[in-house]
Amino acid sequence: MPTRAYEITCSADLARLIEAVAATRDREAFTALFDYYAPRIKAVLMRSNMPAAAAEELAQEAMLTVWRKAEQFDRARAGASAWIFTIARNLRIDVARREQRSKLFDLESNEFLDAPPQPDEELDASERERRVRAALSHLTDDQLKVVRLSFFEGQAHGDIARELKIPLGTVKSRIRLAMNRLKDCLGDLT
């Protein structure tokens, strides 16, 4: 594919074009590179299920990176095609990561949106609350104290024992007895 001053006949020509861009910002050399590689990059990206418009945009971004980083090209380390397609591949990976992060952020932000409760859910919740209150009334005062401190205030068993000035084993026994009584009263809710 000839362009004004440059004709590409082999891979050495491609490497020379990149080196010309690096050395003197040769616009004709870059135009030849762009004309040669942009359609190829776009085709490869489209084969990986990227939409045509996005593939074209990414191909242009890859070629812009070639323009900006041409001085980093080293023909001893990689051929021109390998170097340019690596740039395109890395840009594609960056796009995929951004899309993935965006999807994760959307999922996370949606977690905090509370949907209004449905009428049947409100009825179920109020019925459960009524039944739990009734079951709690079947506990002894001592059992109710340890249950409130443990489950409603989130205190550790050792802290409850110190606060109530009773042995740790007594706290655990009262909680176990209270749970058994609640389980008997609320069997179908547990």
Side-chain angles (χ1 to χ4, degrees):
M1 292 185 183
T3 58
R4 293 180 279 189
Y6 294 99
E7 185 173 336
I8 300 170
T9 58
C10 64
S11 61
D13 293 339
L14 295 167
R16 277 194 292 277
L17 291 174
I18 296 172
E19 290 164 347
V21 170
T24 63
R25 292 289 179 214
D26 186 327
R27 290 181 184 271
E28 288 182 12
F30 180 73
T31 300
L33 284 169
F34 189 94
D35 290 345
Y36 185 82
Y37 280 110
R40 287 168 173 78
I41 293 170
K42 179 181 175 183
V44 167
L45 293 171
M46 288 176 60
R47 279 195 299 268
S48 69
N49 296 324
M50 182 178 267
E56 186 168 340
E57 187 175 322
L58 200 63
Q60 290 176 7
E61 189 175 340
M63 293 311 297
L64 181 61
T65 302
V66 168
W67 173 261
R68 287 193 320 255
K69 296 185 176 186
E71 64 279 350
Q72 294 177 8
F73 173 69
D74 179 1
R75 73 166 69 204
R77 292 181 60 198
S81 292
W83 186 71
I84 291 175
F85 278 102
T86 298
I87 289 171
R89 181 196 62 143
N90 290 343
L91 289 171
R92 174 66 178 117
I93 290 169
D94 290 345
V95 166
R97 286 181 180 153
R98 279 193 302 269
E99 288 171 355
Q100 191 67 21
R101 273 190 293 247
S102 176
K103 287 177 186 175
L104 289 174
F105 179 74
D106 288 345
L107 289 174
E108 288 173 358
S109 64
N110 287 338
E111 287 178 14
F112 298 109
L113 298 177
D114 290 330
Q118 299 299 315
D120 60 335
E121 291 173 356
E122 288 180 1
L123 184 62
D124 288 345
S126 65
E127 176 63 19
R128 274 194 307 273
E129 183 180 344
R130 185 192 63 73
R131 289 188 58 198
V132 169
R133 286 184 190 279
L136 288 171
S137 70
H138 290 27
L139 300 179
T140 67
D141 288 340
D142 291 337
Q143 290 172 343
L144 190 55
K145 276 183 198 172
V146 295
V147 166
R148 280 197 173 133
L149 291 171
S150 180
F151 294 99
F152 298 117
E153 294 183 23
Q155 289 189 25
H157 294 174
D159 295 336
I160 296 169
R162 280 188 291 283
E163 183 177 324
L164 298 178
K165 296 180 175 71
I166 58 175
L168 178 60
T170 303
V171 171
K172 292 183 179 200
S173 293
R174 288 180 183 172
I175 289 175
R176 187 180 69 253
L177 291 169
M179 291 297 105
N180 286 337
R181 184 167 286 174
L182 291 173
K183 189 176 180 182
D184 290 342
C185 295
L186 302 170
D188 62 323
L189 284 182
T190 56

